[in-house]
Amino acid sequence: MTPRVDLKDFLSAYLAEVEEQLQAANTHLLDIEASARDGSPNPRAVRDLFRALHTVKGLSAMVGVEPAVALAHRMETVLRVADRAGGHLPVGSIDMLLRAVRAIEHRVRELSEHKEPSPAPRAILEALDQLEPAHVPAPAADVTVLDLDPAIASKLAPFEIELLVDGARKGRRAIRADFSPSPAKALRGLSINTVRERVGSIGEIIKVVPVSVPVTEDSPGALSFALLLLTSASDEEVASAVGVAPESLRYLVAAALPADEAPQLVVLDDDDDGKEASPQKRNVVRVEVGRLDDAMEHLSTLIVTRSRLARAIAALTASGINTRELAEIMRDNGRQLRDLRAAILRVRMVPVVEVLDRIPLLLRGLRREGGKQVRLKLDAGTAELDKGVAERLFPAIVHLVRNAVDHAIESPEERARAGKPEEGTLRIACHAHSNARLELTVTDDGRGVDRALVAKRAGRDIASDAALLDALCRAGLSTRDEGTTTTTSGRGMGMDIVRRIVVDRLGGELLLTSERGVGTTFTMRVPLTISIVDAFTAECGGHRFVVPVSSVEEILEVDHTKVRFGPARSLDVAARAGVLERRGETIPLVDLAHVLAFGRPDGKPPRLALLVRRAGEPVAFGVDRVIGQQEAVVRPLVDPLVQTPGVAGATDLGDGKAILVLDLVALVGTLDDGDRERAA
């Protein structure tokens, strides 16, 4: 008897794969819409969209999510007609297709929450059935025909044939160049990879087709590559890039034939399971985030155990026992744990570009609602971020994008009056700020922040970008007039949420630069990970605490003969805020024991200071001594009754006692008005 298969075992894999395919579907739809606005087809995006939805339909049928199957099937019908039309899809169809994708996402989300997926919306199904079919351009009296060998033509997809034909009609030359690898060419640095790069710099490669080469006296046989390309370069340039003689190039455009004799393009069918539709196998294993969290938890336990072992070895050494061999083993164990930590963190890293892939769809909705023209430029490079940090950071990015479109970027008419292009530009870029922090910027070329208006609404003077940012992040402050609240902004919560996410929850830094009439840039610097951190252990007022290394710019020695103090509200010298000078920069000095209300029984001032920056402004926190640097496992304080600004969590350094992990950057924001005035 065949054992019954429980499809629930495949649920996590299904959710991961379908989420990826639906995200790709949204991206392809936006690409198709952009091409349709320019009046040009996008056969490649139509084909890729069809494949993504075909995969969603197949997986959903296997798991039994019938609403997703019904929606994806009707979308395929629309795309099949678009493929026959050479990639032409009416602009009016995009909205309904996006609604259908969102409907599938909603039902997949219900399944992930262990709910029964709701039926497919009848209104969307009927609208998909009634969509206006894509306009198939009527063939002209003469049709451009490609001269292709049958063996190569059979390996081309319809959209690739359309690209070659369309390129030839627009005046570019369709050429076939054959490259045969050989030891002699390899010595000259010519391989199929280098040839692709060289040819790609002077033309558009449509397809590279492997071709079997018979064994002859002049050729060792094996494999050759036929490069099909569109180019405006000369034969000599193409031949030089491929490493062949110019006369060996072949033109792919034959004489024009009458329309009724022109060959028809092959189109997609439901049962299309050829090699072209098969996804490329990747050497990738999907792992649930929960399993990675579990591995990180076990690593955290090992790090705490190592700290306990280190304390035990130190105690044995103090009692006169020879612990040299134990100390050597301990050092090896430390290196191994650091390597293991780095390996697990690499597994948890996700490309930032995957996080930002959701922004274009968000921007599309904001453009339509606000009636503005905004072009998005993403520059994520190869930057990566911990999965947990990325998910926490994304809402902050969303708020900044909404603010930029709703508040900063002007309407087309206003931009024209100001001498700007009618289409505004929103740029999101990120790069590594250090080996432990990532910097992400959101820049617009809009009207800039009205400092006078913000100062009036906030009821305070604004003399710097830091003061402007502080005012904008006040809960309830909005630059919109009363009664003009929209669905995207106007409630005065956006920037307050951004600061709480970036500064309070992630222990990062938020900066602002704005120039009236030119634009605004928000900069977020966040740690790559927040679970296990390298940290300084320090002592102040008889208490130990931990500070992440990434937040400390420098450890300073405090010479109190050179510290200048303002007027004190207390006779206690240690409670007074002072100012010290470092390399020509004036830095406020605040005693950490006073800020944390520890007190100083001996009355002696701190000897060292930890320098941090908030919104670009430096503040030094005085401490008694820095004990050392080690890895620390940060345990968040989940109980709201014990949560407090400036405390990121707690850790165990091996002695079984809970040690507070301080976020000194956030702690700057807790200074009372008197501290701020004296530290100014």
Side-chain angles (χ1 to χ4, degrees):
M1 181 177 178
T2 303
R4 185 174 180 271
V5 178
D6 187 359
L7 292 180
K8 292 182 179 179
D9 296 339
F10 303 100
L11 183 59
S12 61
Y14 165 79
L15 294 174
E17 179 67 24
V18 168
E19 179 183 359
E20 181 177 322
Q21 295 296 338
L22 291 176
Q23 177 62 45
N26 283 322
T27 301
H28 298 321
L29 278 169
L30 295 179
D31 291 341
I32 294 170
E33 183 180 46
S35 299
R37 283 204 180 100
D38 296 336
S40 59
N42 196 333
R44 190 187 300 271
V46 170
R47 172 61 66 94
D48 291 341
L49 175 59
F50 185 97
R51 289 176 182 162
L53 293 172
H54 196 67
T55 301
V56 170
K57 185 178 77 170
L59 293 174
S60 299
M62 182 186 72
V63 181
V65 188
E66 293 304 325
V69 175
L71 289 163
H73 179 71
R74 281 168 170 79
M75 295 174 72
E76 282 182 328
T77 302
V78 176
L79 295 172
R80 194 177 302 110
V81 177
D83 184 69
R84 290 192 181 101
H88 291 272
L89 189 64
V91 178
S93 303
I94 304 296
D95 281 337
M96 186 50 61
L97 292 173
L98 285 171
R99 286 184 59 190
V101 172
R102 285 198 297 271
I104 297 177
E105 289 174 338
H106 177 69
R107 277 129 193 93
V108 171
R109 191 180 308 114
E110 289 178 330
L111 187 66
S112 68
E113 297 170 353
H114 306 289
K115 299 178 183 177
E116 185 69 21
S118 54
R122 181 174 297 276
I124 294 181
L125 294 177
E126 293 176 353
L128 288 172
D129 290 336
Q130 297 172 7
L131 277 180
E132 178 185 355
H135 173 66
V136 181
D142 292 326
V143 180
T144 301
V145 180
L146 298 179
D147 182 13
L148 287 171
D149 292 342
I152 292 181
S154 64
K155 297 181 181 180
L156 294 182
F159 78 92
E160 292 167 336
I161 295 176
E162 177 66 22
L163 288 175
L164 287 169
V165 171
D166 188 61
R169 287 173 181 162
K170 293 180 179 179
R172 289 195 292 175
R173 300 159 63 231
I175 295 177
R176 170 182 170 179
D178 291 342
F179 173 77
S180 299
S182 67
K185 292 179 180 178
L187 290 175
R188 292 160 47 198
L190 288 177
S191 66
I192 184 58
N193 292 327
T194 58
V195 168
R196 286 179 67 118
E197 292 178 4
R198 295 168 63 172
V199 173
S201 64
I202 60 174
E204 178 185 1
I205 299 177
I206 303 300
K207 188 83 169 182
V208 178
V209 182
V211 180
S212 298
V213 178
V215 178
T216 64
E217 295 182 359
D218 300 327
S219 172
L223 201 63
S224 177
F225 296 93
L227 291 90
L228 311 182
L229 65 144
L230 292 169
T231 183
S232 299
S234 64
D235 287 354
E236 288 73 16
E237 291 177 289
V238 175
S240 175
V242 181
V244 297
E247 54 269 18
S248 68
L249 302 179
R250 295 174 56 182
Y251 298 99
L252 301 181
V253 178
L257 295 178
D260 56 357
E261 298 181 15
Q264 298 296 315
L265 301 183
V266 181
V267 299
L268 282 168
D269 289 319
D270 279 337
D271 58 352
D272 182 11
D273 57 354
K275 293 181 179 180
E276 188 63 32
S278 301
Q280 183 180 2
K281 292 185 178 180
R282 296 178 296 168
N283 193 22
V284 175
V285 177
R286 295 186 183 275
V287 180
E288 293 182 26
V289 176
R291 297 187 180 185
L292 296 178
D293 292 339
D294 187 54
M296 184 65 75
E297 181 64 26
H298 288 301
L299 175 62
S300 301
T301 303
L302 287 175
I303 291 176
V304 174
T305 301
R306 185 193 62 186
S307 299
R308 292 177 57 193
L309 182 59
R311 294 178 66 88
I313 293 176
L316 291 175
T317 304
S319 64
I321 298 176
N322 185 0
T323 59
R324 181 176 301 175
E325 187 174 355
L326 279 176
E328 184 64 30
I329 295 174
M330 186 67 185
R331 283 191 290 271
D332 290 340
N333 177 257
R335 286 191 293 269
Q336 293 163 1
L337 280 179
R338 283 193 294 273
D339 293 341
L340 178 60
R341 171 193 169 191
I344 293 179
L345 289 181
R346 282 196 299 271
V347 174
R348 289 180 58 90
M349 291 293 180
V350 296
V352 177
V353 67
E354 292 185 5
V355 181
L356 300 180
D357 274 346
R358 292 175 276 180
I359 296 298
L361 188 60
L362 167 69
L363 183 62
R364 179 183 184 272
L366 295 174
R367 283 196 303 251
R368 291 171 60 85
E369 184 166 342
K372 297 181 179 180
Q373 300 177 18
V374 185
R375 180 175 68 255
L376 178 65
K377 292 185 177 181
L378 296 178
D379 181 15
T382 59
E384 293 182 325
L385 197 60
D386 183 275
K387 174 71 172 178
V389 177
E391 291 302 323
R392 295 188 190 187
L393 183 63
F394 183 71
I397 301 174
V398 169
H399 281 291
L400 291 178
V401 171
R402 284 177 174 168
N403 280 346
V405 176
D406 208 34
H407 291 285
I409 296 180
E410 311 91 335
S411 64
E413 298 77 15
E414 185 179 349
R415 292 181 64 87
R417 289 194 300 268
K420 296 182 178 181
E422 292 187 358
E423 185 181 49
T425 301
L426 179 65
R427 182 188 300 274
I428 303 178
C430 67
H431 63 274
H433 180 65
S434 66
N435 58 359
R437 295 173 82 84
L438 185 80
E439 180 174 288
L440 191 145
T441 59
V442 179
T443 304
D444 65 74
D445 64 346
R447 59 173 61 94
V449 181
D450 189 339
R451 296 173 185 264
L453 177 59
V454 174
K456 180 180 178 181
R457 296 283 173 87
R460 63 169 67 174
D461 293 332
I462 295 178
S464 64
D465 285 335
L468 177 62
L469 177 63
D470 189 63
L472 289 173
C473 291
R474 292 181 59 186
L477 186 139
S478 175
T479 56
R480 274 191 174 274
D481 295 330
E482 294 184 7
T484 60
T485 298
T486 68
T487 57
T488 58
S489 68
R491 294 174 176 82
M493 296 298 295
M495 289 309 304
D496 177 46
I497 293 174
V498 172
R499 182 170 64 178
R500 279 194 277 127
I501 291 174
V502 175
V503 178
D504 298 339
R505 297 178 188 173
L506 295 177
E509 188 176 5
L510 180 64
L511 305 173
L512 163 69
T513 58
S514 182
E515 185 176 349
R516 191 65 176 159
V518 176
T520 303
T521 296
F522 286 95
T523 301
M524 297 174 285
R525 293 173 183 161
V526 296
L528 298 181
T529 183
I530 56 175
S531 53
I532 301 177
V533 299
D534 292 316
F536 291 121
T537 304
E539 188 174 82
C540 183
H543 296 267
R544 284 187 304 159
F545 58 87
V546 164
V547 176
V549 172
S550 60
S551 65
V552 178
E553 181 174 314
E554 189 174 349
I555 300 177
L556 306 174
E557 280 194 52
V558 179
D559 183 355
H560 282 273
T561 62
K562 298 181 180 179
V563 176
R564 299 294 178 263
F565 293 95
R569 294 182 301 173
S570 170
L571 295 178
D572 184 3
V573 175
R576 299 167 61 189
V579 175
L580 56 86
E581 186 176 349
R582 184 205 62 160
R583 295 190 288 275
E585 184 179 28
T586 301
I587 301 173
L589 173 64
V590 181
D591 188 357
L592 186 59
H594 168 58
V595 175
L596 300 178
F598 285 161
R600 284 190 176 278
D602 56 6
K604 295 181 179 179
R607 296 181 300 169
L608 298 175
L610 304 179
L611 176 63
V612 300
R613 289 184 184 271
R614 177 184 170 92
E617 299 297 328
V619 175
F621 286 95
V623 298
D624 296 334
R625 65 184 181 123
V626 176
I627 300 172
Q629 177 181 341
Q630 65 184 91
E631 290 178 312
V633 179
V634 181
R635 304 292 187 185
L637 302 178
V638 295
D639 189 343
L641 296 178
V642 298
Q643 289 178 345
T644 183
V647 178
T651 187
D652 182 357
L653 298 181
D655 56 359
K657 297 180 181 179
I659 305 297
L660 291 181
V661 180
L662 298 183
D663 182 355
L664 296 183
V665 177
L667 198 60
V668 176
T670 66
L671 300 179
D672 59 33
D673 293 338
D675 291 324
R676 291 178 183 274
E677 292 174 1
R678 294 192 303 275

